[in-house]
Amino acid sequence: MAGAGVAGLTTAWWLERAGWDVLLIEKAQGVRLDGYMIDLFGPGREVVARMGIVPALERHRAPIRGVTAVDERGRRRGELVVAEDETGDVISLLRGDLVQVLAGAVRSQVRYGMTVEAWQHTGSGVRVLLTDGTVHEADLLVGADGVHSRVRELVFGPEQRFLRYLGFHVAAVSVRDRTLSDRLGESYQVLTTPNRTVGCHSAGQDDVSAYFLYRNENSVLPPDPVGALRSEFGDLGWVTPALLRALPGDLYFDQAAQVEVDLWHRKRVVLVGDACGAVSLFAGHGASLAMSGACVLAQELTREKDMISALVNYEMRMKPVVVRTQEFGRRFTEWMAPSTRWRILARDWLLRLSRWRFLNKMMVRSATPVADDLFARCEREDHGRQGVRRGIHPGTA
């Protein structure tokens, strides 16, 4: 399996418990701890509950109780507060914390600093050449290696065929600053000017997580990401100067993009997570969908004797949910990164109106794309066809 991020580690966990021997390879030199704040709910929350890792994740939960729009002096322009009874099933935490928990739960060997060099279909499996020169025979090759997937490139074609650039560059960073953490409190605070957004929040104790988003018609990333951010955001006030001074050299920096692949599998190669269905930070829910896809793939490989049928079923269950979430993300760009001052004002007024509870609920619901109950539907189909079949359920963890 290529990729030891959220999708790869979750897939490995489920396949281990279904009796598979899994080898994970990761092109990074170690566990990658970069990335955004993520929210696990809906199908993603169901998966982590089935895995039994909720208590471990709760220890990393970020103290977020809403979203506050601010101006360049830090004054509140609008706020969306989520009530305690509406957040109980949502776990907000840094991507790096989720990866660490998953890595600790997986028994499979992880080999870092390498990726797939070449592959060959053998009829009953695949032969894979890794960049360290070793050759491995396997029943299945899983590409869980992200938006810029090497497996997708080798098996399905060049990246430009599948990447939908959304017109923005984005960076995510974590810094240690107790004063700033205390100042932000329990709200995700956002400063927006036309085509630029800075968002940050306390990640607990002394840590602050932040992201920078700016429009750029050129999808090519700059050679100096830190310099580009300081150039793009250097004129802004609020906490922006402090964040720019604290930028590390190894921050996460990439295009805001979605991945659209017609077929997620070819013979005995299959894609999972962002490699086949990245939804972008505009839609969110990427981690939840990646973990759901990993669980669904393992379910189908367990339920079906024929592997190709299992891969077809996996795609049929997951792809419609991913496509709907991608569509939501494209509609949400003008909410998250408004292009004009009047759009920013309109958004902030909507946030002010959210003080009325019924409007608050409507806004929270509108910002949450609805995913099918993948697991309940699967189990209903099982009962309808031939009674309870062998599958992956909480009791097997």
Side-chain angles (χ1 to χ4, degrees), residues 199-213:
C200 61
H201 60 90
S202 170
Q205 298 180 346
D206 300 338
D207 296 321
V208 173
S209 177
Y211 76 90
F212 297 84
L213 177 69

Side-chain angles (χ1 to χ4, degrees), residues 6 24 157 196 217 243 245 271 306 312 319 349 373 378-379:
V6 173
L24 277 160
R196 295 185 299 175
E217 298 304 324
L243 290 173
R245 287 193 299 269
L271 304 176
D306 178 65
V312 170
K319 192 171 184 180
W349 270 106
D373 187 345
C378 169
E379 289 157 8

Side-chain angles (χ1 to χ4, degrees), residues 102-122:
L102 291 171
V106 167
R107 299 190 297 262
S108 301
Q109 178 188 3
V110 183
R111 299 174 62 181
Y112 292 99
M114 67 186 69
T115 187
V116 178
E117 180 68 27
W119 78 288
Q120 181 182 11
H121 183 243
T122 63

Side-chain angles (χ1 to χ4, degrees), residues 228-288:
L229 291 176
R230 288 173 175 163
S231 175
E232 290 287 342
F233 294 91
D235 62 319
L236 296 185
W238 185 47
V239 301
T240 312
L243 290 173
L244 292 176
R245 287 193 299 269
L247 290 177
D250 59 348
L251 54 79
Y252 170 86
F253 192 97
D254 206 349
Q255 307 166 357
Q258 295 177 338
V259 172
E260 300 171 321
V261 185
D262 290 337
L263 291 175
W264 291 6
H265 66 280
R266 178 167 296 170
K267 297 181 179 179
R268 288 183 174 242
V269 180
V270 65
L271 304 176
V272 180
D274 283 354
C276 57
V279 296
S280 82
L281 82 162
F282 291 111
H285 319 293
S288 286

Side-chain angles (χ1 to χ4, degrees), residues 140-156:
L140 180 68
L141 171 60
V142 179
D145 45 347
V147 173
H148 307 293
S149 170
R150 173 63 171 165
V151 172
R152 188 187 64 229
E153 178 184 29
L154 289 172
V155 180
F156 298 88

